[in-house]
Amino acid sequence: MWITDGEWGLLLSLVSQGGLIVVFALILFRVHLFRKIVLQAHKKFYSYLLLIAYFGGMGILGTYTGIPVQGALANSRIVGVFVGGLIGGPVVGVASAFLAGIHRWAIDIGGFTSLACMLSTIVEGCLAAALHPYFVRSKQKWLFGMASGAIAEVLQMIIILLVAKPYPQAVQLVTLIGLPMIVGNALGIGMFIAISETLLREEEKIAARQSQKVLEIAGTTLPFFRKGYTEEQALKTAQVIKAELSIAAVAFTDREKILAHVGIGEDHHKSGMPIQTEMTRTAILEGTVQVAHSKADIECSHSDCPLKSAVIVPLMHSDTPIGALKLYRERENAISEVDIEVAKGLASLLSLQIELSQLDKREQLLSKARLRALQS
């Protein structure tokens, strides 16, 4: 039998920690702040600090969840450190390795291998940092991570044999934990990267679909605002947006009143009514995007109004806000980053249409003036 019962048990225990790995991967690419930092081309100082704390903390947690074996620990510390170096780059890889490695040595869990584990953690972090450019260019990133992670764990076993004393005990330990840790942690690294890549591709697909939807709406509504920013054209545009997007309601305002409201709440959000929401006034006055997270933020005077969150984006003409586009939802705190980006994209394209309508009018007036001059 190529693997003993003891080794098989250790391997299963290490692989079972994959649940933690999945949670950390979900946090990294589901939390907007972390996803934004990871994808930054040029990271700022605070970005590096957050990533170092994240991956270093993941390595430290791997130490605490380790399995005691003959006075040492079979653990998944390397997963956080190594993935940090591959994804975050040299600074993150080396710094998180030092953080997790020094912690391993300082708390002295696992007795005679403390120094060897500290050194191996730092070496593995440096290896991941060096492999970062090749990882970025690789087509099968999860496979690259798994293979390089296995090599890193082999290095750890070699360092334990060279540094840990007494030597016979180190040999006995490596014989027992070597194969499970090499296989288990390599699988953990590959799993983390595979989940991260899947989540990232999913986000990119959603963004691509939303961008396509925005362009389709802009194409359909192109004739409307070319005729001017009026109640009639705002109503037609709102109807198209409401039909294309899965939102509760769409509204347009000028600087003082509602021009159109389509969807839930249209029985009491009527065209011609003055603007009620303070956030709408702020968006128009300051030219900034506002997000209403609750019914109180929307400030509707109708007590039974079902609209509970909204994104409000100013519509611009010659860099001056002339009104606002509002997308509503029925639940509180329901406005997502995708909703905000869609609203901003629509507002930008609709503002351009309004600009073009004004240019058309000017061109018509200029042509009439020239004609009158010729007639004179």
Side-chain angles (χ1 to χ4, degrees):
M1 190 173 180
W2 69 281
I3 184 169
T4 65
D5 291 340
E7 290 173 329
W8 183 252
L10 277 176
L11 177 59
L12 289 177
S13 297
L14 288 170
V15 172
S16 68
Q17 294 182 9
L20 282 176
I21 295 169
V22 171
V23 170
F24 273 95
L26 287 171
I27 291 173
L28 187 65
F29 280 93
R30 283 298 190 195
V31 175
H32 176 69
L33 174 63
F34 282 109
R35 186 173 68 250
K36 180 180 177 182
I37 289 173
V38 169
L39 297 177
Q40 281 177 343
H42 303 286
K43 294 179 176 58
K44 298 179 181 178
F45 179 71
Y46 78 89
S47 301
Y48 281 117
L49 287 181
L50 281 173
L51 288 178
I52 290 165
Y54 178 86
F55 288 110
M58 189 175 171
I60 290 171
L61 183 62
T63 297
Y64 280 120
T65 57
I67 304 156
V69 178
Q70 295 186 357
L73 285 176
N75 60 82
S76 59
R77 177 175 56 255
I78 183 57
V79 175
V81 170
F82 204 78
V83 170
L86 292 179
I87 293 178
V91 174
V92 177
V94 173
S96 58
F98 270 93
L99 182 64
I102 291 173
H103 170 269
R104 169 68 177 86
W105 172 75
I107 62 172
D108 197 27
I109 297 177
F112 78 106
T113 61
S114 293
L115 178 60
C117 288
M118 179 190 74
L119 293 175
S120 64
T121 301
I122 294 171
V123 168
E124 288 172 297
C126 293
L127 175 62
L131 291 174
H132 171 71
Y134 304 98
F135 170 78
V136 171
R137 292 194 293 269
S138 65
K139 294 181 179 180
Q140 297 289 338
K141 288 182 171 55
W142 68 272
L143 187 58
F144 182 97
M146 189 164 65
S148 55
I151 293 170
E153 281 295 82
V154 170
L155 283 176
Q156 179 176 13
M157 297 305 125
I158 293 172
I159 291 172
I160 290 174
L161 290 174
L162 293 175
V163 176
K165 305 297 179 184
Y167 179 72
Q169 191 174 347
V171 172
Q172 188 177 6
L173 176 67
V174 169
T175 302
L176 181 58
I177 71 171
L179 187 60
M181 284 189 64
I182 292 169
V183 175
N185 286 334
L187 287 173
I189 292 168
M191 184 192 308
F192 190 107
I193 294 171
I195 293 170
S196 301
E197 286 289 296
T198 300
L199 293 175
L200 186 58
R201 282 196 294 270
E202 180 185 323
E203 293 284 342
E204 290 173 346
K205 287 178 181 177
I206 292 172
R209 285 196 296 269
Q210 294 295 344
S211 298
Q212 183 179 2
K213 187 70 69 176
V214 168
L215 291 173
E216 289 174 356
I217 292 171
T220 305
T221 60
L222 183 60
F224 301 154
F225 282 160
R226 290 295 295 268
K227 297 177 182 178
Y229 189 49
T230 64
E231 288 187 10
E232 180 185 358
Q233 307 309 324
L235 177 61
K236 291 178 181 179
T237 305
Q239 287 171 339
V240 172
I241 295 173
K242 176 65 176 67
E244 293 291 338
L245 300 180
S246 57
I247 51 179
V250 183
F252 284 99
T253 75
D254 60 16
R255 292 183 66 88
E256 297 176 353
K257 64 182 183 300
I258 299 171
L259 294 182
H261 185 104
V262 175
I264 293 172
E266 62 184 13
D267 58 324
H268 59 278
H269 288 263
K270 296 183 179 295
S271 61
M273 291 178 60
I275 294 172
Q276 299 182 42
T277 308
E278 186 62 34
M279 282 189 172
T280 304
R281 298 189 190 93
T282 302
I284 295 170
L285 288 173
E286 300 180 0
T288 57
V289 177
Q290 302 290 316
V291 178
H293 296 289
S294 66
K295 185 175 179 178
D297 291 338
I298 293 175
E299 300 179 275
C300 180
S301 57
H302 197 282
S303 59
D304 296 326
C305 182
L307 301 174
K308 296 181 180 177
S309 57
V311 55
I312 308 160
V313 185
L315 295 171
M316 312 295 288
H317 174 56
S318 300
D319 296 326
T320 301
I322 61 167
L325 164 66
K326 306 171 73 172
L327 304 183
Y328 291 94
R329 291 202 177 277
E330 293 179 86
R331 294 181 294 106
E332 293 191 350
N333 300 304
I335 298 299
S336 66
E337 290 296 326
V338 173
D339 292 330
I340 295 172
E341 291 304 317
V342 167
K344 288 165 65 177
L346 280 172
S348 178
L349 290 171
L350 295 174
S351 296
L352 179 59
Q353 292 178 16
I354 295 169
E355 292 267 8
L356 292 174
S357 74
Q358 296 300 316
L359 290 175
D360 287 345
K361 287 182 180 178
R362 289 175 187 173
E363 187 65 32
Q364 291 171 9
L365 291 172
L366 183 59
S367 296
K368 289 179 180 178
R370 286 172 178 167
L371 182 59
R372 288 195 193 101
L374 288 171
Q375 289 172 341
S376 297

